[in-house]
Amino acid sequence: MREFGPQWYAAVMGTASVAVAGWAVSGSGGPVRAPLAAVWALSAVLLAAVATARALHWRHHRDRARAQLHDPAVVPFYGCAAMAPLAVGIGALGPGREVVGDRAALPVAVALFAVGCAVAVLAAAAVPYLLVVRDRPAPDAPAAEPSPVWLLPLVAPMVAAAFGPLLAAAAPDGELRRTLLVVSLGLAGASGLAALAVLPLVLARLFRQGPLPLALTPSLLLVLGPLGQSTTAANQLADALPGRPYAGLVAVGYGVPVMGFALLWLALAAAMLVRAARRGLPFTLGWWAFTFPVGTCVTGAAALAQRTGLTLLWVVAAALYALLVTGWAVAGWRTVRGLLSGALPAAPPPAPGAPLPATARTRSGPGR
């Protein structure tokens, strides 16, 4: 439990995205309603398990939990702590209805939206602050290198922005519905502009310094998150504004170019991953990047296909969904293997020549 970090929420996100994206591609489940409902139920169980484990981690290993807050490689994953309940909550309004029933689906979704939205806003503000102010070992030390992982806390409000219109559609016409839509637009703007500021830094780092370290290579897929999720959010907002044809035109005019760039980036990331695999790509929890970011592109492409009626976009959505399921199966299997073998969770190896922490020296003393 001592090394159980916020990275584990990525497994919840990836599992929920398989259910949500499958629901979008198949048209509200269709013949695969039962399997998608089972996958959503698994994501809900994983969310409860990971949240419980994280609470125990903070209670029994508070020193390690605080150290993770000041670790630039770990703190961005607090964005996953926001996106996990949001992803499960979105699924509650789709495949989750087959599990909890129609009456309970909306209350469950509202509760998860409230929790996820609050954590998303907190993470989007607090994580950049920690990266800028608190996570440098010395005042004159260089800042951490830009990484796609920085996008995790910034994408979280966009997931909430795609969730809000679904709740607005279920709310009675009036101030509550308008408030949800305005809040969703604000969240989309905050997330989109913040991601737009970080993406050039990531690109500049790649062009100036070359490929990422092997273990970080899967994080390149995280760039798909803001692209696919913003396309999904734009279409969800357009659906929540009936009688306003310009909303649909804006959603298509925004979503098609963004999805084009997402496919281009996917090709680049795939080439980098093939290169890394040939050089011995090690397994880490970062492999869950093969799931949720791809899932956002599935829902974005499916929303555009539904709005335009184009077969090509349905083909793109289906192909991306096949990629999503493959990534989920591989990441899930390797994670289960790591848990059974004891390799996960494990402490990161110390730097060469670095002294052991006091807690490690105590545990390794005589008679221990």
Side-chain angles (χ1 to χ4, degrees):
M1 289 296 297
R2 181 166 178 78
E3 299 301 329
F4 197 93
Q7 303 97 314
W8 284 90
Y9 281 108
V12 182
M13 296 162 51
T15 304
S17 69
V18 171
V20 173
W23 193 264
V25 171
S26 61
S28 300
V32 292
R33 294 171 72 95
L36 294 178
V39 174
W40 179 86
L42 176 61
S43 72
V45 171
L46 288 175
L47 175 61
V50 173
T52 301
R54 287 293 296 157
L56 292 173
H57 183 264
W58 270 96
R59 179 177 179 181
H60 297 291
H61 303 287
R62 188 163 299 177
D63 61 324
R64 183 62 186 138
R66 288 177 175 174
Q68 289 174 345
L69 282 175
H70 301 293
D71 186 343
V74 177
V75 70
F77 286 93
Y78 273 91
C80 297
M83 290 186 281
L86 290 171
V88 176
I90 292 173
L93 297 176
R97 290 183 181 273
E98 305 293 316
V99 180
V100 301
D102 291 338
R103 293 185 61 183
L106 185 58
V108 169
V110 169
L112 291 173
F113 174 78
V115 172
C117 190
V119 179
V121 173
L122 178 62
V127 171
Y129 172 82
L130 291 171
L131 288 172
V132 171
V133 177
R134 300 292 298 277
D135 292 342
R136 297 188 185 184
D140 57 346
E145 290 292 338
S147 166
V149 178
W150 288 8
L151 292 168
L152 285 172
L154 304 180
V155 177
M158 189 66 78
V159 181
F163 195 169
L166 300 178
L167 298 178
D173 191 15
E175 186 171 355
L176 176 59
R177 175 180 290 184
R178 295 195 299 271
T179 299
L180 282 169
L181 293 177
V182 168
V183 169
S184 298
L185 281 169
L187 291 169
S191 176
L193 293 174
L196 192 62
V198 171
L199 280 175
L201 301 178
V202 175
L203 283 170
R205 186 254 176 258
L206 291 175
F207 284 119
R208 290 177 180 175
Q209 302 183 35
L212 295 174
L214 291 181
L216 284 178
T217 303
S219 69
L220 288 171
L221 290 172
L222 296 178
V223 174
L224 299 176
L227 304 175
Q229 197 62 56
S230 62
T231 301
T232 303
N235 281 274
Q236 298 287 19
L237 286 165
D239 289 340
L241 296 171
R244 294 174 173 84
Y246 66 86
L249 293 175
V250 171
V252 173
Y254 171 83
V256 171
V258 169
M259 285 302 301
F261 178 71
L263 294 176
L264 176 62
W265 185 270
L266 179 60
L268 172 64
M272 293 286 190
L273 285 167
V274 170
R275 174 186 178 276
R278 290 176 175 173
R279 286 164 171 77
L281 176 65
F283 173 73
T284 68
L285 288 177
W287 280 35
W288 283 97
F290 298 149
T291 58
F292 187 80
V294 179
T296 65
C297 293
V298 175
T299 55
L304 290 172
Q306 181 69 35
R307 190 169 300 281
T308 62
L310 293 177
T311 303
L312 174 62
L313 291 173
W314 282 118
V315 172
V316 170
L320 289 173
Y321 186 69
L323 183 63
L324 166 63
V325 173
T326 302
W328 175 67
V330 172
W333 169 242
R334 295 297 299 269
T335 301
V336 171
R337 281 182 56 187
L339 284 170
L340 294 178
S341 67
L344 294 176
L356 286 173
T359 52
R361 292 197 299 270
T362 300
R363 289 195 301 271
S364 61
R368 296 300 180 96

